Amino acid sequence: MTFIVPLNAGSDRPVPFIDLVPQFQSMSAEVMAVVERVFAEQKFIGGDEVVGLEEEIAAYCDSRFAVGCNSGTDALIIALQALDIGEGDEVITTPFSFFATASSICRAGATPVFVDIDPVTFNMDVEAVEDAITPHTKAIMPVHLFGQCCDMEPLWRLSQKYQLHIVEDACQAIGAEYQGRRAGVLGTVGCFSFFPTKNLGGAGDGGMMTTDDPELVPKLRRLRVHGDIGQYEHLDLGMNSRLDSLQAAVLRVKLKQLDNWTTARQANAQRYGTQFQQAGILDAITLPKIAHERRHVFNQYCIRVEDGRRDHVMQQLKAAKIGCAVYYPKPLHLQTCFKHLGYSQGQFPQAEAASRDILALPSYPELPIADQDRVIDTMVKICRELRQPARRAA
Ligand SMILES: *Cc1c(COP(=O)(O)O)cnc(C)c1O
């Protein structure tokens, strides 16, 4: 094997995009103690840990109820099914999100109807929703993308006017707030994911639904266990989507730290913003903006690199061994499996532009300052170099 030793060898230690190890190390004794307890009891399904987590998540999100399930994807499917949304129904959502936002609508038997996004927040363009409403529309599914709540007031008005449910895809947004209210209580049902890289991540898959509607709760509960109401009596065609006791136990330990981690994510975002501004590179990149009356929990810190230069910047970062990621490179309306929905390239220009421009930088809560400095210095260098050909041409 040949090693090419770079000139600045000392400073090119890899900076991972995300590293879950330090978080675990900071709490391994407590986590392993509850894991041991679950194993000692051998109660892997249901039980006190799941009920405990449901109560604690409800308290955290300020919802009356919370129902655990196996993933954020299942939470979305079960929420739609519980609202009797299926065959022949339409659900309005965003094409700029993780795949499960739209696939869950299809899995429930309904049809996703996309509207374009707001280029500043990357969330659904709420001004475009009313025009997408048809007699078949049953619900709106806003996504609180990257940890920032969608603008809900216009959606509340439409839900009143047209009798529509709102199912929040809050998978990236636990603890995010809109007008002082938490994600999860901004619609009929809120759906959360505990995938390991979410702000509250488990030791595997997990999910949760929140609601204030007591009549929905029994249905949400039974849909996660094959529609069973006991004695093998099945009221609906549900699924097997229980939350493991092991996951619940681990998540209860981690939930206690969530606000500290959120503060660290916000501090990382703040620091990137200040440093990029001071370095004078805001002509090359656009910083994420926190919209009015929001608590942004920064599941991702995403900048925009316009004029088709994102991939170049990404290559330069990778060459400097700095992790970065693109969420999401292909909007949902252009995915092969949604071809039958009949959308075409150019239909949602803002979502398509965001897919070309977006770039997520390392911002996990334990990101060492030295690593963040490396990201900042490298970004500043790349952006200054970007400028040079233009200057020469001038
Ligand atoms: C992660 C995520 C999901 C799906 O959650 P899983 O737990 O992985 O099934 C759905 N929507 C969005 C926006 C997500 O980020």
Side-chain angles (χ1 to χ4, degrees):
M1 219 201 265
T2 327
F3 283 97
I4 298 165
V5 182
L7 290 173
N8 56 347
S11 67
D12 97 332
R13 198 167 42 86
V15 175
F17 178 65
I18 181 167
D19 184 0
L20 297 173
V21 172
Q23 186 164 96
F24 174 64
Q25 283 173 343
S26 73
M27 57 194 337
S28 63
E30 211 184 336
V31 169
M32 294 320 286
V34 298
V35 169
E36 286 243 5
R37 198 172 68 213
V38 171
F39 269 83
E41 289 171 359
Q42 289 288 301
K43 271 194 210 147
F44 293 115
I45 304 288
D48 295 346
E49 296 291 354
V50 173
V51 173
L53 180 70
E54 288 174 342
E55 287 170 2
E56 287 158 17
I57 293 288
Y60 187 80
C61 296
D62 208 17
S63 70
R64 287 183 67 193
F65 310 98
V67 178
C69 65
N70 195 251
S71 69
T73 306
D74 284 1
L76 293 165
I77 300 171
I78 293 170
L80 293 167
Q81 284 184 331
L83 295 168
D84 290 319
I85 293 169
E87 197 74 41
D89 298 331
E90 294 173 357
V91 179
I92 298 172
T93 192
T94 165
F96 193 63
S97 180
F98 177 61
F99 179 70
T101 301
S103 72
S104 64
I105 297 169
C106 297
R107 281 281 167 219
T111 304
V113 172
F114 298 117
V115 295
D116 209 352
I117 60 163
D118 162 31
V120 175
T121 61
F122 306 105
N123 280 325
M124 177 190 263
D125 175 4
V126 292
E127 302 298 319
V129 173
E130 189 160 17
D131 282 346
I133 295 173
T134 76
H136 302 292
T137 309
K138 284 283 168 62
I140 308 170
M141 186 185 283
V143 179
H144 307 314
L145 201 68
F146 304 142
Q148 169 155 251
C149 286
C150 187
D151 187 10
M152 296 303 294
E153 262 209 44
L155 300 185
W156 292 336
R157 276 197 295 273
L158 293 175
S159 96
Q160 289 276 317
K161 185 171 166 189
Y162 296 95
Q163 299 298 302
L164 306 174
H165 292 296
I166 294 177
V167 175
E168 297 173 74
D169 182 340
C171 288
Q172 300 183 2
I174 190 162
E177 289 176 11
Y178 176 79
Q179 297 181 349
R181 293 168 65 193
R182 290 248 154 128
V185 296
L186 306 174
T188 322
V189 185
C191 301
F192 294 91
S193 165
F194 303 126
F195 185 81
T197 62
K198 308 287 173 161
N199 286 23
L200 179 63
D205 280 310
M208 187 75 69
M209 299 159 282
T210 52
T211 187
D212 282 339
D213 182 351
E215 285 178 17
L216 268 183
V217 176
K219 197 159 183 195
L220 294 173
R221 286 197 190 288
R222 68 178 188 261
L223 281 169
R224 70 175 168 180
V225 282
H226 299 296
D228 191 1
I229 51 165
Q231 309 297 323
Y232 297 95
E233 179 74 28
H234 299 267
L235 287 197
D236 332 79
L237 206 56
M239 55 171 127
N240 175 2
S241 182
R242 293 170 291 229
L243 179 64
D244 289 338
S245 313
L246 207 54
Q247 293 304 337
V250 169
L251 289 163
R252 292 180 77 185
V253 172
K254 297 185 75 174
L255 179 59
K256 292 187 278 180
Q257 299 302 324
L258 180 57
D259 281 327
N260 293 334
W261 297 330
T262 299
T263 304
R265 287 176 185 276
Q266 291 167 332
N268 288 341
Q270 173 81 38
R271 193 154 180 274
Y272 273 131
T274 315
Q275 302 275 322
F276 288 151
Q277 187 182 11
Q278 281 173 9
I281 60 164
L282 298 193
D283 54 341
I285 63 172
T286 307
L287 303 179
K289 287 199 184 60
I290 302 178
H292 193 52
E293 299 184 297
R294 305 291 206 286
R295 179 190 193 224
H296 194 326
V297 297
F298 287 101
N299 179 243
Q300 299 298 346
Y301 180 85
C302 290
I303 59 166
R304 285 186 93 121
V305 188
E306 275 138 20
D307 308 323
R309 299 196 287 200
R310 191 268 318 274
D311 290 347
H312 169 78
V313 171
M314 195 162 62
Q315 276 162 17
Q316 299 284 99
L317 284 172
K318 295 232 156 116
K321 298 205 180 83
I322 290 173
C324 56
V326 172
Y327 304 108
Y328 294 92
K330 190 178 213 177
L332 300 177
H333 67 287
L334 301 177
Q335 296 287 346
T336 309
C337 68
F338 293 138
K339 222 178 190 141
H340 66 283
L341 297 174
Y343 293 98
S344 53
Q345 182 96 37
Q347 198 159 354
F348 301 117
Q350 295 300 349
E352 291 168 26
S355 292
R356 286 192 297 272
D357 297 349
I358 201 109
L359 186 63
L361 300 178
S363 68
Y364 62 97
E366 300 77 16
L367 177 69
I369 287 268
D371 282 14
Q372 192 182 22
D373 283 341
R374 275 249 294 135
V375 182
I376 292 165
D377 294 346
T378 311
M379 276 300 297
V380 169
K381 189 163 156 275
I382 296 169
C383 290
R384 289 192 177 144
E385 281 166 4
L386 274 182
R387 239 184 247 152
Q388 268 156 26
R391 216 185 264 157
R392 243 175 272 141

